Amino acid sequence: TQTQNGNNNEVTPEQSGEGNTATQTQTGDAHRSAVVQSGNNNSVETLQEGYGSEVNVNQSGNGNLASVYQHPDYIELQAGHTASVTQSGDSNTVKLEQQGSFYTNNATLYQEGNNNTYDIHQGSVYGDNTLTATTTGNNNQLTVSQTDYVTAQVEQTGNSNQITLGQSFGGAGGADSTI
């Protein structure tokens, strides 16, 4: 299901296999969304609001879920928000929310293996959030919440790892984490 309200929006869904679903909603202008799913029973939900967001999701395997929400905290035209999600294996979950940027949020996520979970929230009023997360193995969990000028690079290898990272600076700041 694709819903668009605005100008110059683009949605490109590509699915093979059985039971795959993609729900993409774009409100505002100049959004881009590309979803590629292969395998069975994969699900993608994207919501983009504001101006100029882009999301790319590529899922293979079975029973994977990707939810990407990119929106400002308030209604005004803005550019920013980029997301890319790649999942291989079975029963992986990515929940990503990026909001309130003045021109920058960024996330690159990758999971390989089974039963891995990402729960990521990035919010900024003055721009700049970046996250790169890489997981290989099984049963890994990553929970991150970031605000204001924050960078995090996280990598998990192996099985049953859990990382929880929270960074917040409320209106101005900076932080950098590599795990």
Side-chain angles (χ1 to χ4, degrees):
T1 303
Q2 284 76 40
T3 304
Q4 296 176 321
N5 183 8
N7 299 304
N8 299 314
N9 293 313
E10 182 180 319
V11 173
T12 307
E14 182 181 323
Q15 296 178 322
S16 62
E18 297 180 8
N20 294 316
T21 62
T23 302
Q24 300 176 79
T25 303
Q26 297 174 329
T27 302
D29 299 329
H31 298 299
R32 303 288 176 262
S33 180
V35 172
V36 177
Q37 295 187 109
S38 59
N40 300 314
N41 301 312
N42 294 306
S43 181
V44 172
E45 182 176 310
T46 65
L47 170 65
Q48 298 178 101
E49 297 175 318
Y51 177 82
S53 296
E54 182 175 327
V55 63
N56 296 298
V57 177
N58 186 342
Q59 295 188 133
S60 59
N62 301 306
N64 294 309
L65 169 66
S67 300
V68 179
Y69 305 107
Q70 301 186 124
H71 55 89
D73 285 331
Y74 43 88
I75 303 301
E76 83 169 35
L77 293 179
Q78 67 180 48
H81 304 308
T82 300
S84 179
V85 176
T86 301
Q87 296 180 321
S88 301
D90 299 329
S91 301
N92 294 306
T93 301
V94 170
K95 294 181 182 178
L96 171 65
E97 179 179 9
Q98 298 180 321
Q99 65 181 8
S101 73
F102 286 151
Y103 309 111
T104 306
N105 278 322
N106 203 359
T108 301
L109 308 170
Y110 167 82
Q111 293 180 326
E112 184 174 315
N114 302 313
N115 301 310
N116 297 305
T117 302
Y118 289 162
D119 190 356
I120 311 295
H121 175 266
Q122 296 184 315
S124 180
V125 176
Y126 300 112
D128 287 343
N129 284 312
T130 301
L131 172 74
T132 301
T134 302
T135 297
T136 58
N138 302 309
N139 303 310
N140 295 302
Q141 183 176 359
L142 174 63
T143 303
V144 176
S145 179
Q146 296 183 310
T147 305
D148 296 341
Y149 306 3
V150 178
T151 299
Q153 183 175 346
V154 177
E155 182 174 331
Q156 294 176 328
T157 302
N159 300 317
S160 301
N161 297 304
Q162 181 176 358
I163 296 174
T164 301
L165 174 65
Q167 299 175 325
S168 181
F169 290 94
D176 187 60
S177 296
T178 301
I179 298 174

